[in-house]
Amino acid sequence: MAGITVAVEKPATTPRRARRPLLSRVPALVVGCYLLVAVVGPMVIHYDPVHTSLEDRLLAPGSQVSGGGTAWLGTDGLGRDLLAQIVYGARTAVLIGVSTVALSCLVGVLLGAVAGYFRGAADAVLARIFDVLLAFPAILLAIVIAGAFERSVLLVVVALSATGWITFARVTRGIALSVRERPWVDAARVLGVPGRTILARHVLPFTAGPVVALATLEFALVVLAEAGLSFLGIGLPPSTVSWGQTIANGKEYLETQWWISTLPGIALSLLIVNVGILGDQLTARYGRGRTD
Amino acid sequence: MIRMIVHRLLIGVFVMWGAASLIFLVVRAAPGDPATVLLGPDATRSQLDQLHASLGLDRPLGAQYLSYLGDVCRLDFGESHWLGRPAMGAVLDRLPATIDLTVTATVIAVIVGLTLGMLAGARPGGLLDRVVSACTIALQSFPTFWIGIMLVLVFALTLRLLPSSGVGSPQHLVLPAVTLSFPFVAIIARLTRTSLAETMRESYIQTARSKGLTERQVLFGHALRNSLIPVVTVVGVQVGALVGGAVIVENVFAWPGLGSLVVEAVANRDYTVVQGATLLIAGIVVVLNLMADLLVAQLDPRIRTGAV
Amino acid sequence: MTSTREHGRSRLIRLATTAAAGAALLAACTTTGGEDGGGSSASGDVTVAGTYPIESLDPHGAQGASTGTQLAAQEIFSRLVKPAADGTPEGDLATSWKAGKDVTSWTFTLRSGVTFSDGSALDADDVIASFQRMIALNGPNAGNFPGDTMTKVSATEVVLHSPAPDASVPGKLGTFYVLPSGVGKDDTAFFNHPVGSGPFTVDAFTPSQSLVLVPNTKYQGTKPTLSKVTVRNIPELASRMTALRTGEVDVAWGIPDDQLASLKSQQDLTVKTVPSSAEFTMWFNSSIPALKDAKVRRAIWQAVDFGTIVGKLYPDTGKAADAPVTSVVLGHAAQPAVTYDPAAAKAALTAAGFDFSKKLRLQFANDEFKPFVQAVVSDLQKVGVQVEPLEKEQAVFTEDLLALKWDINFQQLATPSYDAASNLGRLYTCAARRMGYCNKQLDGLLAAAGATADKQRRTDLYARASRIIWQDAVGMYPMSVSIAYAWNSDLKGFVPDASGLPDFATVRTGGS
């Protein structure tokens, strides 16, 4: 998560999109599909996480359930449909991923920009906060926070954001540092435009590209980290449907009822691979101002 | 150089204080009383009060904090009432296992990651680059515990090649270290690739090429050294993260490391152990980062001479 | 079914090939591949997979009540009285014991000629010193004996006095271990190489990892035939099961039902379940308006199809409970089964004016019970009762439990003393305030049962108390728990223990 330093060139302006091979659009397409499933899926497939059907527990993919339907992806230890869990889990993943990234991003960009632009005391304080937080392995801090307090989605978001914002702050700070020396910023300063306005109008826009690229990568890490927390049995309340919870619930059945853990694992993995590639593409386009 | 080390050490002291304070706050803000955990639901009021007093929990938070800082300065980390022994003793007991695991995972990650990254970065955009990129993203994208349990099922249960869990012999180290190294391999490979690809576009590489050096000579003689700089920094940071962050792997493989100790101690509200372990981890991270910086300075003469 | 299994296997193989790359690399670094240490039981070595870590060997300290420490302590030290594998108290250091007239004192006659592993004699002074040490250390076991004192009558006789009549003393003494006198509070030197009078002594101990035991040559009973017992802590269930199946460990217990099938199919493993004192106990918070009415509580109980839930989730280790304590506990008296009838439940709730819009908080503490709790919540939802399952950290759970910050509380409640006094007698009184239920008649019965040493009379009194608890639905009592054990069939004489604390003193290794 850490250690990303960005040397900003001017944002790429030449449209290259027309010449990009079709294959490179696949990640964006797949991520789009996931978002679609996350938003629309719950409206199409009905799933009640509270409802259990013990008659149908541990059914293999494609089996008939007692209610007459087919469990296309099998059922879990409480007879709940896995397909529905994956669909609803997508929503939770997107919700947690987006909220965590949004929170990290907001805090990180704000602090980073302020520190980078105004420098001085703010910068020094921020640098020390980085140092302190980086002395903790990110996942350990998340585990300590998530394990210590009452379970909720909000807690997981906060626990994962506790270190997540650092990367954003570092990147933004780097950009702000270099942008503040540009002539047009100097010009604005000379004209007496207040620092806050310069920051908002002339500095922050330059952070957008790299931050978006970073956000995609963070999103992947957050989704993965939630699975880790669920494995340790901390974080989300039992009534929440998430991939992490489903994967963790199936960990004891990996040998015999492999589908419980593996199918949501694949769903998660596929999303992360594509988000990762998308993030790389974005980084390549905006983050470092170069192409692959 | 000396100035830099002194400066970094001062920051290190600050970081230790910050880390100690942060964790002090987090564990005490958490609901749950250590005395109740220790004595269970059947304890009498007087039993609880007695324990609170002997744990020092009856004093105001500020006083607890100050005396804790004072003790830490004297390298006294207190007694763990839960374990019935000095907290730092329990922490140091876990250190060798953590070091074994971290070092092995790092060695694997560096060897495999560098190799993959060099293969990919030598010819950016080539077939090998694409394959490696895909592999590294895949390596990072499955939950660690899933990979761990699968490796156990394959290598311990089905093939009976390796022990499934525990410590004791080099074989016990294989599965946890490999599992732990997966995401780490990916990070190093990707970073090496990017860095190498960038370096290969530098003007001095063009110069080297035009001198008539072979591609291999250019790669190993000029490009690699410079492209290693960001890799070294990140390895420093990541190794630090492994020291306490291997909790999940430790759990799957019953590996008695520091991370799981912290997690257990938090669950038991065993404040002294949480504090002792955290400080040790923070100390290790600080030292590792310092070492990485020194190494970078060795690799990059501009930093060494203070030009940057 | 077949096709999916094929699918599963080929995935494994694909995974194996990709992972092989990493392993191949390491194979170069490691010495010989394959051969691992554990479980060669033919030589008298037994490796045991502990479910819970052994953090400390001090049975009087903070860890004294933990499963890990108890498991170790019973092999290293002796007790006055210990529970047999089925739970009935039997003499260990004491040859006989009897209660005083008003049951406020118990006299124990000690076995003569017992020595510690260092050769020194064990006498009444050691017993008294140990009792005082336990009380002084103020650990969880001290809480079992509030205000009790122990005095010496002669070198072979001690008396335990309690401020109130206490018939469950012999049962409760199962957690009291005798150490040589003169052991200090945090006596690390002693507990690195503890001196005890149990069947084993400590060869090596690494807290929370492993404990290696070897026979105590001075043991006064039948000396163990095993040459070495290693207890290893393997926290993750999947890893524990794998270790058992690969033979890295010889014994494991506390195995979930869904894992038993694959263990049973393995030829060299013996699988057995044994009824324990633990029972799934789901108290209602009778102090809140919604659950004040016994009719409401009974209706909620009736609304859950516990028969199906237990049968499906715990086919091997679960049995419908028929009393607030399980059948291995003294004071157990079977009650009529509560039949599943959602329609009647719904009608009764409506008639009692139950507020269906209010969400009840169901708290529990352990991930392993999540499926059970969720199944209960699902059934209750079917009759319109909204329940929110709240999984809490142990520390928070206990605090909230005592503060009655819950509406329904799920616990797997064990009675380690095998005596209803320490379950019913302790938890269900008005003064205990453990579930907001208060019934003077029940208080009277429980007090009377605690004040007599006559076994028959106690059983009768607890039967009447159980009847009130059951009829008033102070809680729901869905299931009594059995502990599933699996062990290497080469082990002879292994007896699954009802408390989850098996004794290895009588175990032999087979083969020759």
Side-chain angles (χ1 to χ4, degrees), chain A residues 52 57 151 252-253 255, chain C residues 245 258-259 378 391 393:
Chain A
T52 64
R57 66 192 304 259
R151 288 153 195 272
E252 285 150 29
Y253 304 103
E255 200 199 347
Chain C
R245 293 173 58 192
D258 285 329
Q259 306 296 323
S378 171
E391 184 175 355
E393 278 281 291

Side-chain angles (χ1 to χ4, degrees), chain C residues 228-303:
Chain C
K228 200 165 98 183
V229 176
T230 308
V231 185
R232 275 182 52 196
N233 173 37
I234 308 181
E236 184 54 36
L237 173 73
S239 316
R240 212 155 55 233
M241 294 304 101
T242 307
L244 185 63
R245 293 173 58 192
T246 58
E248 285 167 83
V249 301
D250 300 302
V251 186
W253 61 96
I255 303 163
D257 292 66
D258 285 329
Q259 306 296 323
L260 287 176
S262 62
L263 296 182
K264 279 176 184 163
S265 69
Q266 197 153 331
Q267 295 288 313
D268 53 353
L269 289 178
T270 308
V271 177
K272 208 167 185 171
T273 61
V274 53
S276 78
S277 72
E279 178 156 317
F280 281 13
T281 305
M282 304 178 79
W283 290 333
F284 291 111
N285 184 348
S286 299
S287 68
I288 61 163
L291 297 172
K292 214 175 182 66
D293 188 350
K295 285 198 215 66
V296 170
R297 301 196 296 261
R298 270 197 298 269
I300 291 179
W301 191 348
Q302 224 178 5

Side-chain angles (χ1 to χ4, degrees), chain B residues 225-226 229 295-305 308:
Chain B
R225 183 189 173 102
N226 281 308
I229 291 169
L295 197 58
V296 167
Q298 284 301 314
L299 284 170
D300 190 342
R302 284 174 306 177
I303 297 175
R304 193 165 52 216
T305 53
V308 174

Side-chain angles (χ1 to χ4, degrees), chain B residues 33 37-39 41-42 47 79 81-83 85 94 146 156 160-161 163-166 171 174 251-252 256, chain C residues 11 19 26 32 34-35 55 62-63 138-139 186 207-209 232 236 239 245-246 248 395 398-399 402 426 434:
Chain B
D33 174 9
V37 180
L38 276 164
L39 295 173
D42 305 322
Q47 248 192 316
E79 281 281 316
H81 204 90
W82 174 262
L83 302 176
R85 54 200 291 235
R94 299 290 189 104
W146 191 93
R160 307 264 165 138
L161 279 175
S164 61
S165 63
Q171 290 95 298
V174 178
N251 232 291
V252 170
Chain C
R11 259 198 70 81
L26 265 204
T32 52
E35 201 56 44
E55 302 285 8
Q63 289 289 323
N138 191 26
D186 282 329
S208 80
Q209 285 178 44
R232 275 182 52 196
E236 184 54 36
S239 316
R245 293 173 58 192
T246 58
E248 285 167 83
T398 311
E399 229 172 49
L402 297 174
R426 189 171 56 93
R434 288 301 276 275

Side-chain angles (χ1 to χ4, degrees), chain C residues 41 44-48 226 228-231 250-251 491 504 507 509:
Chain C
S41 56
D45 278 11
V46 168
T47 308
V48 177
L226 295 177
K228 200 165 98 183
V229 176
T230 308
V231 185
D250 300 302
V251 186
L491 297 187
F504 294 91
V507 175
T509 50

Side-chain angles (χ1 to χ4, degrees), chain C residues 3 23 46 72 75 109 114 116 123 147 158 167 186 205 208 225 232 259 292 364 367 394 404 421 438 467-468 483 497:
Chain C
S3 69
V46 168
E75 303 291 27
T109 310
V114 179
F116 285 110
D123 59 22
V158 294
D186 282 329
F205 173 55
S208 80
T225 59
R232 275 182 52 196
Q259 306 296 323
K292 214 175 182 66
F364 66 107
D367 224 33
Q394 191 65 49
L404 289 175
C438 180
R467 195 178 144 77
I468 294 176
I483 304 177
D497 178 79

